[in-house]
Amino acid sequence: MFCMKLMFIYESMALWGGIERIWTDRMNLLAKQYGADILLITTNQGEHPYPYDLDSRITVKDLKIQFHHAYKYRGVRRRREIRYRQELFETRLKEEIDIFHPDIITGIAAHSYIPTIIKVKGDIPMIAESHELALQYYRLSSNFIVQYFRLRNLRHALSKVEQIVSLTNEDAREWKNLNSNVTVIPNIVHLNNTGCLSDGNTQRVIFVGRLEQQKGLPLLLDIWKKVHQRHPNWQLDIYGEGEMRKWLHQQIADDSNIHVYQPTGKVMDEYLSSALMVSTSVYEPFGLVIPEAMSCGLPVVAFDCPHGPRNIITSGEDGFLVSQGNCDEFADRVCYLIEHPEERIAMGKKAALSVQRFQASNIMPQWMALYQKFINGSSL
């Protein structure tokens, strides 16, 4: 074991989201098991509570930049507010770096604050984690000019990052167009540790994820309509929060077999009381909820979208991968599992075994080797 000081920088730890879960788990392990001195910097935390429990040994500091407040204004005033907050972020971040003297700084690759971190970090090595597909974040804007400048700034910033960490080999190949220093480390997954698996006998399908376009909610409803026609006694339970919640409620107003719930800190209990899980994302860098559900003994039916699901599910053994956007095929796979309970249960047991490769004991040594590479100057 070697002593290390790690600084993590993120906008806020306020959502029941994948990054929040992944970083919380890893930072807690680093503090408890490896004795790391950790400072978590946020820019927009404000009064929002942390969704997951951080170890008391982790220091947290909110810089109180509140970037989103600039968008209350328009035109010249908005540009001035953005510039002011960028300058404030630069000043306050530099102060924290000078005080803490981290060995390594970690940020999220597709976030707009990366250029500022690079500007003020000096010779401290930086790791940029990819939790979006390469460049996907910058393709979502409908404004061509915005896309151009975001992409230009991203290319320039990431060319100076010492290391990009991607979740899959496919995504890593894309990031290498920007920076040759890319390594693949899968997510540590918050696996079921109850010692119990779903018995697979409930007439319940579960969906867990943010309620937004990426998650393919229109496709989910189309699929469920087909499933419901064949199996009207089964229900779909959706757990999530996001910008499409109102739209979702409007769409299912008359459907008594679809229920929408807020995110829960006891999601494992919900997996354990379900028979199978569905994932309809149109892209997914990893898909954290997929191995979580599998660890509870659920087979998962997912679109074979770029790039995460195919790196987790072995189609036909512990779940099914469906060609992207093919709702008929997807519904058929769900119905097949409903109609073949013995096979459903057997696939769920295989799923629980296969995802053990994402345990912390398998993933953390990869992170420690990367940290040691920069702290000691050794090679991997």
Side-chain angles (χ1 to χ4, degrees):
M1 183 182 296
F2 55 95
C3 183
M4 54 185 172
K5 301 179 72 173
L6 306 176
M7 176 181 283
F8 289 77
I9 304 173
Y10 192 47
E11 53 191 355
S12 69
M13 301 285 279
L15 300 176
W16 294 88
I19 294 174
E20 290 81 1
R21 164 70 78 181
I22 293 159
W23 270 25
T24 298
D25 286 349
R26 192 191 316 146
M27 287 189 294
N28 286 345
L29 286 167
L30 287 165
K32 288 188 290 188
Q33 295 187 14
Y34 296 92
D37 187 2
I38 296 176
L39 173 61
L40 171 62
I41 296 288
T42 57
T43 60
N44 303 337
Q45 189 71 29
E47 300 301 318
H48 296 292
Y50 285 74
Y52 308 107
D53 293 332
L54 276 174
D55 189 271
S56 60
R57 286 164 283 199
I58 297 171
T59 303
V60 296
K61 180 67 178 289
D62 184 35
L63 301 185
K64 300 179 181 179
I65 308 300
Q66 305 295 339
F67 281 111
H68 56 284
H69 285 182
Y71 293 91
K72 296 187 297 187
Y73 308 102
R74 296 182 178 181
V76 174
R77 177 67 186 276
R78 176 183 289 186
R79 291 195 293 272
R80 287 176 178 171
E81 284 288 329
I82 292 174
R83 187 180 306 113
Y84 163 73
R85 293 172 196 278
Q86 287 285 2
E87 292 172 353
L88 187 64
F89 175 47
E90 181 178 329
T91 299
R92 291 181 177 175
L93 179 59
K94 182 66 165 63
E95 290 174 354
E96 295 299 328
I97 290 174
D98 289 344
I99 293 170
F100 186 62
H101 297 296
D103 294 309
I104 298 169
I105 295 173
T106 299
I108 303 297
H111 275 225
S112 59
Y113 54 64
I114 293 295
T116 301
I117 298 174
I118 290 174
K119 183 177 181 180
V120 303
K121 75 181 184 64
D123 59 359
I124 299 170
M126 180 176 178
I127 296 172
E129 295 185 24
S130 169
H131 293 278
E132 292 276 359
L133 295 186
L135 309 185
Q136 183 68 45
Y137 179 85
Y138 293 84
R139 292 172 181 157
L140 295 181
S141 173
S142 60
N143 187 314
F144 175 80
I145 296 176
V146 170
Q147 284 188 13
Y148 172 80
F149 283 105
R150 281 179 174 174
L151 181 57
R152 187 190 66 174
N153 291 339
L154 175 70
R155 286 182 178 278
H156 179 72
L158 290 181
S159 68
K160 298 179 179 297
V161 168
E162 283 73 17
Q163 189 77 52
I164 296 175
V165 175
S166 184
L167 298 173
T168 66
N169 289 318
E170 296 94 334
D171 196 38
R173 283 194 288 269
E174 292 187 32
W175 283 113
K176 285 181 180 179
N177 292 323
L178 301 180
N179 189 317
S180 60
N181 298 316
V182 182
T183 191
V184 177
I185 304 179
N187 278 329
I188 295 171
V189 177
H190 189 67
L191 297 175
N192 166 38
N193 61 4
T194 65
C196 300
L197 298 179
S198 166
D199 63 16
N201 289 321
T202 60
Q203 294 183 321
R204 183 195 199 210
V205 175
I206 190 170
F207 172 96
V208 178
R210 297 186 308 278
L211 306 182
E212 58 184 43
Q213 291 290 343
Q214 177 202 344
K215 302 301 181 179
L217 295 175
L219 298 173
L220 174 64
L221 297 187
D222 187 20
I223 290 163
W224 190 251
K225 185 181 298 183
K226 300 174 189 297
V227 173
H228 181 57
Q229 289 173 353
R230 294 164 61 176
H231 299 283
N233 293 330
W234 280 66
Q235 70 181 49
L236 171 65
D237 285 351
I238 299 171
Y239 286 82
E241 184 56 89
E243 59 190 19
M244 293 184 70
R245 173 174 273 275
K246 182 178 179 180
W247 173 88
L248 184 58
H249 278 291
Q250 291 172 342
Q251 298 301 310
I252 65 173
D254 298 326
D255 288 325
S256 60
N257 66 322
I258 302 178
H259 307 281
V260 182
Y261 300 97
Q262 291 287 341
T264 174
K266 297 182 178 180
V267 70
M268 293 297 175
D269 293 340
E270 304 305 329
Y271 292 138
L272 290 170
S273 60
S274 303
L276 63 105
M277 180 184 173
V278 292
S279 174
T280 53
S281 296
V282 295
Y283 67 90
E284 197 66 73
F286 186 77
L288 199 63
V289 297
I290 295 176
E292 285 182 355
M294 292 170 71
S295 75
C296 293
L298 300 188
V300 178
V301 183
F303 282 128
D304 188 16
C305 64
H307 294 291
R310 71 183 65 138
N311 290 274
I312 303 169
I313 298 168
T314 302
S315 192
E317 293 188 16
D318 49 29
F320 288 114
L321 294 173
V322 177
S323 54
Q324 182 65 51
N326 191 331
C327 294
D328 288 334
E329 180 187 358
F330 199 115
D332 285 343
R333 290 303 191 185
V334 172
C335 290
Y336 178 86
L337 290 174
I338 289 174
E339 294 158 6
H340 297 81
E342 291 185 359
E343 188 166 352
R344 181 174 74 240
I345 294 169
M347 291 178 75
K349 290 178 179 179
K350 290 181 181 178
L353 291 174
S354 71
V355 296
Q356 297 307 309
R357 65 190 188 275
F358 300 120
Q359 287 189 84
S361 59
N362 293 325
I363 305 301
M364 283 306 296
Q366 299 177 54
W367 278 107
M368 295 306 294
L370 181 59
Y371 293 144
Q372 192 166 16
K373 167 189 173 182
F374 290 114
I375 292 174
N376 294 345
S378 62
S379 59
L380 289 172

